[in-house]
Amino acid sequence: MDARIQKLQEIEKRYLEIGDLMLIDENVSNVKTYTKLSKEQASLKGAYEAYQEYKRLNNAIEEASMMVDDDDEEIREMAALELDEAKQGLAELDKHIEQLLLPRDPEDSYDCLVEIRGAAGGDEGNIFAGDLFRMYSYYAESKGFKVEVMESSESEAGGYALISFAVKGQDAYRYFKFESGAHRVQRVPKTETQGRVHTSTATVIVFPDVEDEDIEIPDSDLEIETHRASGAGGQHINKTDSAVRVTHKPTGISVNCQDGRSQMSNRETALRIIRSRVYQYYKEQKEAEAGAIRRSKIGTGDRSEKIRTYNYPQNRVSDHRIGLTINQLDRIMEGKLGDVIDALLANDDKEKLLNEHL
């Protein structure tokens, strides 16, 4: 049996099995379990539907093949036409199935956490960090995702020195994961009196929003401190110790959250961010030790790697990893990121195909 057909059969079996599990009262009443099942089924839906179409086309070919030698000329002509259409459809479907069965990153279906920091350029870098946050928020909204701000440090000149936010939705991490790296902007800052173009940067890093079961962090590895929030933030500022700082002692990774309305909400947010950052740290360390990181033009998401330039005078966006240039910066900054994200995903699929055939 063709290995791909065997894989499709396994997917079909699991897809239907999940459907049955989602009808069990115990699973319906458990939000976490039901959500996990729903996400898994959604991730299998494309391959499941492709397999149903594959079976339909094969049946059509089989039936038409039996009629091409019929005594009735009209039936023979109709059968020949149906046979040709079914074969053509099957050939196109075959390519689609090949794409669907490419190895998927295990975290693709996860929600994600995005962190943006103003970098080179001082105030202008912070302002640009705010522009990127706005761009990502609009893009997430267009995909039907929800955005939840988790941690922020506003800049006096506008924008953010730091903003962390969650993006929630099916395959959110898949659509955002290639945004990690340094984003460079070329434009005339509002504070520039002589009209000179300046270059500034903001850094982006994207983590999968992992669950408790994905990584175990002993309480003894965490140092949790409370303190009074500072800066813009509302009525609780400097009145209560509502801000929470969590440090993972083995790695030194630290998170400070003060935007929540209570110490409890800030603690939960900080622990959630720490969990994802520590997970990513150990994952990258393990892959590096095993030599398992697949080097590609898209890169590894290093914060210092310059991945994209936003040139305002020429209304141009260039993604340096795949040589993509689009002269629609104004649209992209309004969240119309689809062409860029789709090109990155297509390039990743292309490299996976090449690796599969090596």
Side-chain angles (χ1 to χ4, degrees):
M1 182 187 295
D2 187 312
R4 287 190 300 170
I5 302 305
Q6 186 174 357
K7 179 64 177 175
L8 287 170
Q9 289 177 343
E10 292 171 0
I11 289 172
E12 179 185 52
K13 181 181 178 182
R14 179 57 182 165
Y15 183 89
L16 297 173
E17 184 181 67
I18 292 171
D20 291 337
L21 289 171
M22 291 173 70
L23 296 174
I24 298 174
D25 290 342
E26 184 182 345
N27 292 331
V28 173
S29 60
N30 188 317
V31 176
K32 195 170 184 179
T33 299
Y34 191 84
T35 300
K36 193 170 184 178
L37 287 170
S38 179
K39 283 189 174 184
E40 184 184 355
Q41 190 179 56
S43 71
L44 299 175
K45 186 178 180 181
Y48 170 79
E49 292 180 344
Y51 185 44
Q52 305 315 301
E53 179 66 4
Y54 173 86
K55 290 190 289 185
R56 187 192 71 78
L57 288 171
N58 267 298
N59 287 335
I61 289 172
E62 188 176 327
E63 291 175 5
S65 296
M66 294 171 63
M67 294 189 293
V68 290
D69 295 325
D70 195 274
D71 293 336
D72 189 312
E73 182 180 355
E74 188 174 337
I75 290 178
R76 289 199 306 271
E77 289 178 356
M78 182 183 68
L81 182 62
E82 290 180 357
L83 184 62
D84 184 57
E85 288 179 353
K87 284 183 176 180
Q88 184 176 341
L90 192 62
E92 293 173 359
L93 183 64
D94 192 59
K95 295 177 183 177
H96 181 53
I97 287 174
E98 186 175 38
Q99 295 281 339
L100 287 170
L101 295 184
L102 285 173
R104 275 178 65 102
D105 293 338
E107 294 92 6
D108 271 2
S109 62
Y110 283 36
D111 297 336
C112 67
L113 305 181
V114 184
E115 175 190 289
I116 307 174
R117 291 179 183 270
D123 288 342
E124 177 63 9
N126 293 338
I127 292 170
F128 182 52
D131 293 338
L132 289 178
F133 170 62
R134 179 173 176 272
M135 175 186 77
Y136 288 137
S137 297
Y138 284 159
Y139 174 67
E141 185 181 327
S142 74
K143 300 291 293 183
F145 300 153
K146 292 182 180 179
V147 172
E148 172 193 337
V149 175
M150 305 181 74
E151 179 187 7
S152 67
S153 176
E154 294 183 10
S155 168
E156 290 184 7
Y160 300 92
L162 162 70
I163 183 163
S164 294
F165 57 98
V167 181
K168 300 179 178 182
Q170 181 64 39
D171 287 349
Y173 181 66
R174 176 174 182 259
Y175 286 99
F176 275 82
K177 65 182 178 182
F178 294 130
E179 292 306 293
S180 291
H183 295 242
R184 181 172 61 181
V185 62
Q186 295 174 327
R187 64 185 178 189
V188 179
K190 293 177 182 177
T191 55
E192 171 58 55
T193 58
Q194 298 181 28
R196 292 176 299 183
V197 173
H198 289 224
T199 298
S200 305
T201 61
T203 61
V204 176
I205 188 161
V206 182
F207 307 97
D209 189 5
V210 298
E211 303 290 344
D212 287 332
E213 59 264 29
D214 292 316
I215 181 169
E216 184 178 344
I217 302 178
D219 290 341
S220 59
D221 283 354
L222 298 175
E223 181 179 336
I224 301 177
E225 306 166 272
T226 59
H227 60 95
R228 293 188 179 183
S230 60
Q235 63 184 18
H236 293 289
I237 299 306
N238 294 325
K239 293 184 180 180
T240 62
D241 290 344
S242 60
V244 176
R245 180 181 295 107
V246 178
T247 302
H248 182 249
K249 291 183 281 189
T251 61
I253 295 171
S254 182
V255 173
N256 182 69
C257 289
Q258 65 179 39
D259 286 359
R261 304 310 300 161
S262 69
Q263 186 184 115
M264 183 178 292
S265 65
N266 283 325
R267 179 188 174 99
E268 289 175 356
T269 298
L271 288 172
R272 183 174 164 194
I273 297 174
I274 276 286
R275 186 171 63 228
S276 290
R277 288 185 182 175
V278 171
Y279 173 87
Q280 189 75 4
Y281 174 87
Y282 284 128
K283 175 189 170 188
E284 291 174 359
Q285 190 178 64
K286 185 177 179 181
E287 288 176 339
E289 289 172 357
I293 293 180
R294 178 172 54 84
R295 301 296 177 183
S296 72
K297 286 187 290 183
I298 291 180
T300 59
D302 189 292
R303 191 192 292 270
S304 64
E305 178 191 4
K306 287 186 175 63
I307 64 168
R308 194 175 298 149
T309 295
Y310 303 73
N311 186 301
Y312 274 73
Q314 298 181 24
N315 196 37
R316 184 181 69 219
V317 173
S318 300
D319 195 290
H320 309 299
R321 297 163 295 180
I322 57 175
L324 175 70
T325 296
I326 299 177
N327 292 310
Q328 295 181 342
L329 170 63
D330 50 347
R331 293 182 69 254
I332 286 171
M333 297 309 294
E334 290 299 315
K336 306 296 192 300
L337 259 178
D339 290 344
V340 179
I341 301 294
D342 291 346
L344 288 164
L345 290 172
N347 185 84
D348 189 53
D349 284 347
K350 181 180 177 182
E351 292 197 356
K352 285 177 180 174
L353 275 172
L354 289 173
N355 289 335
E356 284 279 294
H357 295 153
L358 287 178

